[in-house]
Amino acid sequence: LAACALFLWPSILPLAVGFSLPVIVAIAALIGTGAWSSYVDQVWTWPSIYAGSSHVADPLRNGLIRTLNWSGFHAALLGASACAFWRNPRWRWAVWTGLAFVGAAMGARFFPRYFFLLLPPLVLLAAQGFAGMRMRWRLALALLLLIPLVRFGPRYIILALNHDPAWPDLAMDRDSFNAAQQIRAMAGPNDTLYVWGYRPDIFVYTGMRAASRYLDSQAMTGVPADRHLTQSTPVRVGTTAEARRELADSQPDFIADGLSLYNPQLAMQSYPELREWLTHYQEFARTRNTILYLRVGRRANR
C-alpha cells in the first residue's frame, strides 16, 4: 500500500477507498461472527510478539551475512538495477526498494524467502538497466547469471528426470507423507485429526478434518514454529494453559505428534492439562519423526 501511494501521489484518494472498502467488509464480518478478538490475537498480537523475538543468537551478524549472500547470488540483478538508477535516479524507486528491505529485515530473521519482497522493484529496474546497456555490459551481466545456474542447474535436471535425491530440506515433508499414509490406512471417512507441532502438510496428505480450531501447537506451547524443533523457551505464556484446556475438551480420532521426537521438552506429556486427555489415546505407529495415536475404543475403518 505504501509503495502504491508513492507512485500515485498526490492522487491517493481512489487508492485509499479501494483499499478500505474490503477491509471494512472484513471487519464487519469478523465482528458479526464474533471472531474479532481472535482475529486481533492471531493477526496482530501473536505476530507482533513473534516479530519482536528473533530466535537467532546474533541477528545483526545473521542479517549481514544473509544480505551479502543474497546480493552475491543476485549480482546480475543488482548490477543492472544500479545502472538504471545511475542513469535516471528516481526517489520513488529508491523508497520502494527501501520499504521492501525493511520488510525483509522485520523480525531480524532474514529468511531467504523474505527477500522475495525485493524482487518486484529490482526486477523492473534491472530490466530498464539491461535494455539501455551497451552490448559488452550486457554480456558481462549475462555471465553473472552463471552464479544461479551453477548453484541450481543440477537440481533442475534432477527434478526434470523425476528423481528423488533425498534432499534434507524435504525430509520433514517426506515424513509427513509417510505419517499420513499410516493414518489413512486406519481412518474412516468422518474421522478427525489433531497435529501437535507445526505440520500442516499432514492435514493435506490425509484430507481429514481438524478436530480443534488449533491446527498446530504454537498457541499451546508459546514457542513459535521457527524455533520449536530445537528451542523450548516460550515467547508467550499468558493464554497457553487456556488453549491446552480447550484442546483437552476435543476428541480427535487421531493425533499426529510431529514435535516430541524433535524436541522432547515440548512433548504433549509434559503439560499437566493434556496428561489425562492423552490416557484416552494409544500409540499405533510411528515414523522417523512422528508418533501416531488412535483414540481408545475407536474401531478402525468405520
Side-chain angles (χ1 to χ4, degrees):
L1 179 63
C4 290
L6 281 173
F7 287 91
L8 291 174
W9 184 268
S11 302
I12 61 171
L13 182 58
L15 173 67
V17 172
F19 179 82
S20 300
L21 285 177
V23 172
I24 292 171
V25 172
I27 290 174
L30 289 167
I31 295 174
T33 56
W36 175 255
S37 61
S38 296
Y39 162 78
V40 172
D41 181 67
Q42 293 295 310
V43 178
W44 294 101
T45 305
W46 175 258
S48 65
I49 296 172
Y50 173 83
S53 58
S54 177
H55 67 297
V56 181
D58 190 345
L60 184 61
R61 181 175 181 273
N62 174 68
L64 179 61
I65 291 174
R66 289 191 171 182
T67 300
L68 290 174
N69 286 342
W70 186 89
S71 301
F73 186 79
H74 293 84
L77 178 72
L78 294 178
S81 298
C83 289
F85 195 79
W86 178 266
R87 288 199 305 268
N88 186 12
R90 285 163 290 183
W91 67 271
R92 287 184 174 89
W93 288 83
V95 174
W96 183 12
T97 304
L99 287 171
F101 184 76
V102 169
M106 193 171 291
R109 285 161 174 79
F110 291 92
F111 289 136
R113 62 182 178 272
Y114 288 7
F115 285 89
F116 288 164
L117 282 169
L118 283 161
L119 291 181
L122 291 181
V123 165
L124 292 172
L125 272 175
Q128 297 174 36
F130 193 81
M133 286 180 183
R134 295 181 179 180
M135 182 56 66
R136 64 173 181 270
W137 291 111
R138 290 188 187 183
L139 291 175
L141 283 177
L143 289 175
L144 290 177
L145 291 175
L146 290 174
I147 298 174
L149 178 64
V150 171
R151 175 64 180 84
F152 286 113
R155 292 198 170 198
Y156 296 150
I157 296 173
I158 292 172
L159 287 171
L161 296 176
N162 199 29
H163 289 171
D164 181 7
W167 290 328
D169 48 353
L170 296 178
M172 185 178 288
D173 180 72
R174 287 195 299 270
D175 185 78
S176 294
F177 181 78
N178 293 334
Q181 284 188 313
Q182 299 266 20
I183 295 172
R184 290 180 63 183
M186 299 280 289
N190 298 316
D191 285 345
T192 58
L193 172 68
Y194 173 71
V195 178
W196 182 262
Y198 184 73
R199 306 285 290 276
D201 44 0
I202 296 180
F203 283 107
V204 175
Y205 288 137
T206 61
M208 294 174 66
R209 292 183 297 114
S212 164
R213 71 187 180 114
Y214 296 109
L215 301 181
D216 57 67
S217 62
Q218 294 177 94
M220 275 149 278
T221 64
V223 184
D226 67 346
R227 70 195 72 179
H228 70 182
L229 298 182
T230 58
Q231 300 178 25
S232 307
T233 303
V235 300
R236 185 180 189 183
V237 179
T239 60
T240 55
E242 179 183 344
R244 292 192 294 269
R245 285 191 289 269
E246 181 178 329
L247 176 64
D249 288 334
S250 66
Q251 293 184 327
D253 295 290
F254 291 87
I255 298 175
D257 180 359
L259 178 59
S260 299
L261 294 179
Y262 283 104
N263 188 351
Q265 294 187 59
L266 296 182
M268 291 185 290
Q269 295 85 347
S270 63
Y271 297 97
E273 298 87 355
L274 299 179
R275 287 174 190 151
E276 196 278 332
W277 177 66
L278 285 171
T279 62
H280 300 284
Y281 292 86
Q282 62 182 7
E283 179 183 338
F284 72 90
R286 65 172 62 192
T287 61
R288 181 180 179 87
N289 298 115
T290 307
I291 306 172
L292 304 176
Y293 295 94
L294 176 68
R295 185 159 51 83
V296 174
R298 179 208 160 279
R299 292 183 178 182
N301 294 315
R302 289 187 297 190

